[in-house]
Amino acid sequence: MSFGLTRVDLPEGDATREAFGDALAEVGANDERVVVVDGDVHNSTFTGKFGERFPERFFNAGIAESNMVGIASGLAACGKIPVAASFSTFLMSNAYDQIRMSVAFPNQNVKLVGTHAGISIGEDGPSQMAIEDVALACALPGFTVIVPADGISAAAATRAMIAREGPTFLRCGRPKVPQIYSSEDQFHIGKANTLREGDDVTLIANGIMVAMALDAAEGLAAAGIEARVIDMHTVKPVDVGAIERAANETRGIVVAEEHLAFGGLGSIVSMVVSERRPTRMAFVDVGDTYATSGPPDDLLRQYGLTPDAIVDAATRVLKD
Amino acid sequence: MPDLQRPRSDDLDAVAARLRHHIVTSTTAAGSGHPSTSLSMVEIIAVLYRGGVLRYDPSDPVNPNRDRFILSKGHGAPALYAVLAEAGYLDASELTELRKMGSRLEGHPNMCRVPGVEASTGSLGQGLSIGVGHALGLRLDGSDARVYVMVGDGESEQGQVWEAAMFAGNHSLSNLTLIVDRNGNQQTGPVDEIQPLSPLEDKFEAFHWAVRTIDGHSLNEVQEAFEWARSVGDRPQVVIANTIKGKGVSFLEERQSSYHGKPLNEDQAAIALEEIGASV
Ligand SMILES: Cc1ncc(C[n+]2csc(CCOP(=O)(O)OP(=O)(O)O)c2C)c(N)n1
Ligand SMILES: [Mg+2]
């Protein structure tokens, strides 16, 4: 996959789902409390790597997401750190009431991991594409919501969420993605990473849109516009300071995410901006529609998730 | 760790009468709630908490080796709060704070606020899955503690109950006991007219559960059923308790299918308390 990148040269790295699966197996070796609940998709979510090493702490609940989440809640009440993983749409949409009642409301230390998020899953089509999941997760009081951009940060996020008490949603994707970070880079839940400095406009992105924002920044630079690029991997609790600084120090903000327009990163950044420091904003997202089947790069182009779309949005923002 | 006891009262009839008394007074004071739902489960929870079944210590409510009782039919909260008072987790004088502003005794049980409440419930169908999680966690820890879950018969229409039942049978969770409070009625009418469950015994057997059906108002039968459940050893057990919705209050028993979620007014409560005849 190219992700529409033409101006930056990023090496291909692991898919975020696979990096999660590897990191989970690693964490599981060091912490006996980690238990995995699967919904018959461990070969897709890569929790199978944990299952192979720790079969006594791995439960395949079958195709029964509601029950999966309830079991995870009971395990958490016994002091375990349950990780319930499935395709993000089946987990977040099929079991939403269970997530609300059995995890969020009683504030249980359950880790929900949704893979195959977004439209970049491609040919499997819209029934399998989670594009509402971030909004659903962010709506839950007390939830931490993380959308990593590459394999290295997905692995770091996996370790960080296990180490940190509280209900968490980690969103991973299907395809291999450009590698942005090196293993020396820092990852802290709730703290955005500024990947490029710039004073004209700020590009805030997460997931696969981070690489596209870096590419867009190169394009803008060629036109004499210096763009700041922020990886807002934690959508909730969002890094208010980073947003406020961007609003103060640059002339506008573009938010890019592989999600519906409503209730995701764009909505949350706009809330902060409108309260702290109103500024011009523009949004690059899936809009208000379901996608279709097709090759991932073609879908991303069709639904406007490209570096050029980010360049256009930034140009709009800067126009008086 | 101090040994956990299985508290035992020598007068369970009196315990049951007190629970009924508190169910009526707390819901009448609240002006809302589900007295008839709560009255049908009285003997079962009386035996669990005061008949030497559950192992617990109210001064150490999160002891990892405690037995757990999860009230999946969370609208039976008035009964749960009453038995938690009986067991020493709450003071009985607090029960009439039910559903009031500022009270931790919310309309449905909240595990974050009330010691002894093992799961926050109120959206029907979820408690058995949570119980399965507890049973797995206890098994992983090598604990011999047991998990008891109560569902309603109407609640048993939820698919998640059967997802959990299938999982528990498949994993031979012998430390898990389910009680079905089979009072024959749900919110809008009789279960048999809405979505009949029969043959319920066969359904659980097909899911590899050990099954026993009892009169859920006979203290002896309830006691024996829990002894039986503990002795099964190789699979989860379900006690199907045939009960009467509103048991102990004549005019509720007579109108079982039309009294769901209705508290008694002061006059009705006075008659009900006289019929119940508890000494509190
Ligand atoms: C998921 C869900 N749907 C609907 C309700 C509303 N509701 C509350 S009690 C009830 C009937 C429950 O019947 P049953 O399980 O038989 O309990 P009973 O009151 O008879 O003990 C309903 C439909 C709910 N609480 N949860
Ligand atoms: Mg009923």
Side-chain angles (χ1 to χ4, degrees):
Chain A
M1 271 186 80
S2 79
F3 296 93
L5 306 184
T6 55
R7 306 167 186 107
V8 288
D9 188 20
L10 298 167
E12 185 181 80
D14 287 339
T16 47
R17 61 177 168 137
E18 183 157 19
F20 148 71
D22 286 332
L24 181 65
E26 236 172 74
V27 179
N30 304 325
D31 193 336
E32 289 244 312
R33 297 171 301 168
V34 178
V35 177
V36 171
V37 192
D38 169 42
D40 194 32
V41 288
H42 56 77
N43 51 350
S44 305
T45 60
F46 287 102
T47 57
K49 297 189 181 202
F50 178 101
E52 270 166 32
R53 289 181 63 185
F54 313 106
E56 69 291 347
R57 284 188 274 143
F58 178 84
F59 302 100
N60 187 342
I63 310 156
E65 290 76 13
S66 307
N67 189 40
M68 268 176 77
V69 169
I71 290 174
S73 169
L75 285 163
C78 287
K80 305 297 174 200
I81 305 177
V83 176
S86 181
F87 281 41
S88 201
T89 191
F90 306 140
L91 187 62
M92 295 309 292
S93 298
N94 195 307
Y96 196 63
D97 187 33
Q98 288 72 20
I99 292 169
R100 171 182 181 268
M101 270 306 297
S102 300
V103 179
F105 176 50
N107 194 35
Q108 294 289 6
N109 190 26
V110 170
K111 313 303 173 187
L112 301 175
V113 181
T115 65
H116 297 67
I119 66 173
S120 57
I121 67 163
E123 291 81 353
D124 269 347
S127 71
Q128 321 291 300
M129 294 170 176
I131 51 177
E132 314 89 338
D133 52 342
V134 174
L136 291 169
C138 285
L140 298 164
F143 249 75
T144 296
V145 180
I146 309 172
V147 184
D150 73 353
I152 287 174
S153 55
T158 303
R159 291 188 289 270
M161 77 169 177
I162 297 289
R164 181 175 138 130
E165 178 92 16
T168 304
F169 171 60
L170 174 67
R171 185 196 208 216
C172 295
R174 177 176 180 275
K176 287 187 181 301
V177 287
Q179 187 173 312
I180 290 161
Y181 291 101
S182 79
S183 47
E184 281 84 59
D185 286 319
Q186 296 282 316
F187 180 93
H188 297 290
I189 291 173
K191 189 162 183 338
N193 288 330
T194 301
L195 303 177
R196 182 183 173 121
E197 291 294 351
D199 291 337
D200 294 322
V201 67
T202 302
L203 313 178
I204 296 179
N206 63 19
I208 62 168
M209 302 310 292
V210 175
M212 294 192 208
L214 288 169
D215 191 273
E218 286 294 330
L220 289 164
I225 298 166
E226 286 308 321
R228 179 178 302 186
V229 177
I230 294 178
D231 173 10
M232 194 64 77
H233 49 74
T234 306
V235 186
K236 191 182 174 190
V238 80
D239 188 340
V240 172
I243 299 170
E244 198 174 354
R245 278 191 299 280
N248 276 321
E249 295 165 9
T250 68
R251 286 186 285 137
I253 296 176
V254 175
V255 184
E257 61 187 320
E258 191 189 11
H259 188 270
L260 291 174
F262 302 110
L265 183 63
S267 297
I268 288 170
V269 173
S270 332
M271 279 183 72
V272 175
V273 166
S274 53
E275 188 169 287
R276 304 267 172 145
R277 177 73 162 81
T279 187
R280 283 291 307 272
M281 292 186 70
F283 305 91
V284 173
D285 50 47
V286 181
D288 189 25
T289 182
Y290 288 102
T292 63
S293 281
D297 275 330
D298 293 350
L299 283 174
L300 291 172
R301 208 172 315 115
Q302 165 109 2
Y303 290 91
L305 302 184
T306 60
D308 287 345
I310 298 175
V311 169
D312 289 349
T315 313
R316 268 199 322 275
V317 154
L318 292 176
K319 236 185 9 223
D320 282 330
Chain B
M1 200 175 293
D3 275 355
L4 290 167
Q5 306 294 312
R6 299 180 195 280
R8 206 179 265 280
S9 158
D10 43 15
D11 190 352
L12 282 179
D13 284 306
V15 172
R18 275 199 297 276
L19 295 179
R20 291 205 156 86
H21 180 100
H22 289 309
I23 288 165
V24 169
T25 51
S26 62
T27 50
T28 294
S32 67
H34 299 77
S36 64
T37 293
S38 302
L39 290 166
S40 73
M41 55 185 273
V42 160
E43 280 74 15
I44 299 160
I45 54 173
V47 170
L48 278 171
Y49 281 88
R50 303 296 293 158
V53 177
L54 291 183
R55 215 167 42 170
Y56 62 92
D57 175 0
S59 69
D60 185 12
V62 292
N63 186 307
N65 281 320
R66 73 196 183 280
D67 292 333
R68 280 88 158 148
F69 172 68
I70 292 169
L71 180 64
S72 189
K73 45 169 258 187
H75 58 298
L80 180 61
Y81 298 148
V83 85
L84 290 178
E86 194 70 34
Y89 289 93
L90 305 173
D91 195 299
S93 66
E94 187 180 345
L95 296 173
T96 45
E97 295 301 304
L98 177 72
R99 291 174 167 250
K100 292 189 178 152
M101 194 65 204
S103 169
R104 59 183 172 168
L105 304 185
E106 297 175 1
H108 295 77
N110 183 338
M111 67 181 284
C112 299
R113 299 189 72 188
V114 185
V117 169
E118 296 285 0
S120 298
T121 52
S123 179
L124 294 166
Q126 303 193 20
L128 186 56
S129 297
I130 298 172
V132 166
H134 277 270
L136 282 177
L138 292 168
R139 186 192 266 188
L140 281 172
D141 288 341
S143 166
D144 66 350
R146 295 183 54 82
V147 183
Y148 298 82
V149 178
M150 180 186 281
V151 293
D153 45 4
E155 179 180 14
S156 303
E157 291 156 3
Q158 276 278 0
Q160 190 186 354
V161 172
W162 299 98
E163 294 177 9
M166 200 182 323
F167 185 101
N170 178 32
H171 288 261
S172 307
L173 292 179
S174 57
N175 56 349
L176 177 67
T177 304
L178 175 67
I179 306 117
V180 182
D181 182 1
R182 199 172 193 188
N183 58 27
N185 290 281
Q186 48 195 98
Q187 179 163 322
T188 58
V191 177
D192 275 348
E193 287 176 16
I194 293 167
Q195 189 65 270
L197 298 172
S198 300
L200 190 54
E201 285 81 357
D202 295 357
K203 288 189 173 72
F204 278 104
E205 263 163 26
F207 284 38
H208 308 297
W209 285 61
V211 185
R212 177 177 271 211
T213 302
I214 61 163
D215 171 354
H217 297 306
S218 158
L219 289 166
N220 278 339
E221 285 192 33
V222 173
Q223 194 108 44
E224 279 169 21
F226 288 130
E227 276 161 34
W228 162 82
R230 247 197 289 178
S231 73
V232 167
D234 66 343
R235 61 185 66 194
Q237 319 87 44
V238 57
V239 176
I240 298 174
N242 287 315
T243 56
I244 294 168
K245 199 157 172 169
K247 173 73 178 176
V249 177
S250 57
F251 50 93
L252 292 182
E253 291 190 24
E254 282 153 21
R255 299 171 57 194
Q256 281 188 65
S257 61
S258 60
Y259 238 100
H260 178 89
K262 293 183 183 137
L264 307 185
N265 64 32
E266 299 282 349
D267 295 342
Q268 291 171 314
I271 301 169
L273 293 181
E274 201 157 309
E275 288 184 16
I276 291 165
S279 55
V280 283

